[in-house]
Amino acid sequence: MAPISRRQFLQGSSASMALALFGLAGRVDAATGKRYPSVKIGNIRELKVGEPVPFTYPDSSSPCTLVMLDQTAIGGVGNLKNVVAFSSLCPHMGCPVSYSKGRFVCGCHYSMFDPSKNGQTYQGLASQWLAQLILRHDSASGNIYAEGIEGLVYGRISNLKVS
Ligand code: FES
């Protein structure tokens, strides 16, 4: 491997810093090739176990929920890996799901999803799992950022709108 020059190193560092500063650090959506926005959705110091926080991502028409669980979760962030976020739209027919007692529940046909296991459906009519957000935790500030989505948000052919 060829050694990297000081100039190349600085150019790479500048590009990374620009991506972070301008909110461009999100994952690339495989369907569109577009980059997900990196959006601050909360601060871990303000979260309480079992108390959900609503937000929207990647745009204002996509409701989501951030929650700190009482257990480690797949895809969880924070020191205990227990902070997760999911789309709030049920993958069955798009009804809102709500967090209660360690699970997400759909009020239309009572599908239930396990937030500690990637949003796995364990009861009801939904045949797909709840779409899980990819999070990043900045341990210095406590900020939590959404930077992508695993799975498709209900009703979309792509999570990122094609302009
Ligand atoms: S819309 Fe959620 S289970 Fe049918």
Side-chain angles (χ1 to χ4, degrees):
M1 181 189 232
I4 187 167
S5 71
R6 183 171 180 270
R7 176 179 296 241
Q8 288 170 319
F9 174 78
L10 291 174
Q11 285 173 338
S13 298
S14 298
S16 299
M17 190 176 297
L19 288 174
L21 285 174
F22 294 105
L24 299 173
R27 310 291 171 93
V28 173
D29 178 38
T32 61
K34 295 173 76 176
R35 189 173 293 281
Y36 279 97
S38 177
V39 178
K40 180 190 168 191
I41 58 170
N43 188 290
I44 202 163
R45 296 168 194 152
E46 297 167 357
L47 296 177
K48 295 189 175 123
V49 172
E51 293 188 14
V53 177
F55 65 99
T56 59
Y57 184 85
D59 53 61
S60 60
S61 61
S62 177
C64 300
T65 303
L66 174 68
V67 65
M68 177 181 277
L69 305 175
D70 63 359
Q71 62 179 308
T72 298
I74 297 170
V77 297
N79 292 341
L80 302 176
K81 307 290 182 208
N82 63 339
V83 176
V84 290
F86 288 87
S87 168
S88 301
L89 299 179
C90 179
H92 179 225
M93 294 179 73
C95 286
V97 298
S98 56
Y99 179 83
S100 175
K101 300 177 183 170
R103 64 194 177 178
F104 281 94
V105 182
C106 176
C108 286
H109 311 108
Y110 302 105
S111 284
M112 296 186 190
F113 308 90
D114 188 338
S116 71
K117 295 186 176 131
N118 270 141
Q120 180 180 23
T121 309
Y122 66 92
Q123 179 174 306
L125 299 175
S127 58
Q128 296 179 17
W129 297 9
L130 206 54
Q132 183 168 11
L133 276 70
I134 298 167
L135 303 181
R136 177 173 62 85
H137 171 230
D138 175 28
S139 56
S141 65
N143 289 337
I144 299 167
Y145 299 86
E147 298 195 330
I149 303 177
E150 285 182 354
L152 203 53
V153 172
Y154 178 81
R156 297 187 176 207
I157 56 172
S158 165
N159 289 331
L160 296 177
K161 290 185 177 173
V162 180
S163 53

